[in-house]
Amino acid sequence: MFNRLFGKEKQVQPSRSSGGGNTNTAKTMEDMDAAIELLEKREAALEKRMESELAKAKQLYAKKNTQGALQCMKRKKMYEEQLLNIGAQKQNLETLKFTVQNQSMNHEVLRAQIRAKDELKRSNKQMKAEKIEDNMDDLMEEMDKANQVSEALRQPLDNNFVDEDELMNELEMELDGMNLEETQVADAKLPEMPAVPSQKLPAQPVKTKTQEDEDALAALEAELA
């Protein structure tokens, strides 16, 4: 009644975190390990009882107590059947453990793949092919502009632009001309000099002091005339 009047408070189910699956798997593995351990203890106890019943049967049979020996063998047979059942149960639990472990690993792989898929979707939304192509075109255009600026900055500031190739050609022509002139000068022959006479030239007459004075006086008179 009170619930109808005031309303029943809803119980909020705790949300499972991403690690809840791992926690549940670990708890399941612990439970199966505990069950296997319990079966192994039961198995060891049955083996001891089987050995005990077999020993009793041998003693009773030695004493000619056939009925008592048969009862011991029947109990031993019953323990053997229980032991076989326990072995089958252990095998089933081991198979389940392997399956749970494999399934847990598959779950982790699937979670990783889902996270990778979500991340790829998010990245692909931010990097569309059209935007990438436009960005590459803009990038190439800006690089061309930068190259043009660099080319312009390399130009000389003065107006007297000199072609270096032309200067080198001129220098080579000058060198070729000099080599040609040197060759022509080397090939030109010197003029022939007159031969030295083999005989002695006649000796020039030596003037006396009186003759020199007379010649000088004659020259002076010629100048005054």
Side-chain angles (χ1 to χ4, degrees):
M1 178 178 178
F2 291 100
N3 290 335
R4 289 196 300 269
L5 291 175
F6 299 100
K8 185 176 180 180
E9 183 179 0
K10 295 182 180 180
Q11 295 181 355
V12 179
Q13 296 293 335
S15 60
R16 293 184 178 180
S17 61
S18 59
N22 293 333
T23 303
N24 293 335
T25 301
K27 182 65 170 59
T28 302
M29 297 296 295
E30 290 178 359
D31 293 342
M32 286 191 291
D33 288 337
I36 291 173
E37 184 179 359
L38 181 62
L39 290 175
E40 288 177 348
K41 291 180 179 179
R42 178 62 178 170
E43 191 176 34
L46 289 174
E47 288 176 352
K48 289 182 179 180
R49 289 183 181 182
M50 287 173 56
E51 293 175 357
S52 177
E53 293 297 333
L54 180 60
K56 290 180 181 179
K58 289 180 179 180
Q59 292 176 0
L60 292 174
Y61 185 76
K63 295 178 181 180
K64 306 298 182 181
N65 188 353
T66 306
Q67 292 297 325
L70 287 175
Q71 291 297 324
C72 291
M73 293 302 294
K74 288 180 180 179
R75 286 192 293 270
K76 177 180 177 294
K77 184 65 175 179
M78 181 182 62
Y79 295 151
E80 285 180 355
E81 292 178 356
Q82 292 182 9
L83 196 61
L84 291 175
N85 292 334
I86 290 175
Q89 292 174 0
K90 282 178 58 181
Q91 183 63 36
N92 291 337
L93 287 175
E94 293 290 346
T95 302
L96 286 174
K97 278 184 61 179
F98 177 79
T99 303
V100 170
Q101 288 175 344
N102 191 36
Q103 188 68 9
S104 177
M105 182 179 65
N106 292 337
H107 180 67
E108 291 299 325
V109 172
L110 179 61
R111 286 177 56 197
Q113 290 178 349
I114 292 174
R115 288 195 299 268
K117 180 257 300 179
D118 294 338
E119 180 63 22
L120 286 174
K121 280 186 176 180
R122 186 185 65 81
S123 299
N124 289 333
K125 287 181 180 179
Q126 297 177 356
M127 296 186 298
K128 293 183 178 180
E130 296 81 3
K131 291 184 178 180
I132 294 176
E133 291 179 357
D134 294 340
N135 184 63
M136 292 301 296
D137 293 339
D138 294 341
L139 181 60
M140 295 299 296
E141 183 178 355
E142 295 301 325
M143 289 182 65
D144 291 338
K145 291 180 180 179
N147 292 332
Q148 292 175 3
V149 171
S150 299
E151 186 68 24
L153 292 176
R154 286 199 297 265
Q155 298 297 327
L157 297 178
D158 56 348
N159 295 326
N160 297 326
F161 177 74
V162 179
D163 190 351
E164 295 181 356
D165 294 335
E166 183 179 354
L167 291 178
M168 290 300 298
N169 292 331
E170 182 179 352
L171 177 60
E172 291 176 356
M173 292 176 63
E174 291 291 337
L175 293 175
D176 293 340
M178 291 178 61
N179 293 333
L180 181 60
E181 291 178 358
E182 291 177 357
T183 303
Q184 292 176 352
V185 171
D187 293 339
K189 295 182 179 180
L190 295 175
E192 295 182 357
M193 300 298 292
V196 178
S198 58
Q199 297 179 356
K200 292 183 178 180
L201 295 176
Q204 186 176 1
V206 179
K207 293 182 179 182
T208 62
K209 180 66 175 174
T210 303
Q211 291 177 347
E212 290 178 358
D213 293 338
E214 289 177 354
D215 292 337
L217 181 60
L220 178 60
E221 290 176 353
E223 290 290 334
L224 294 175

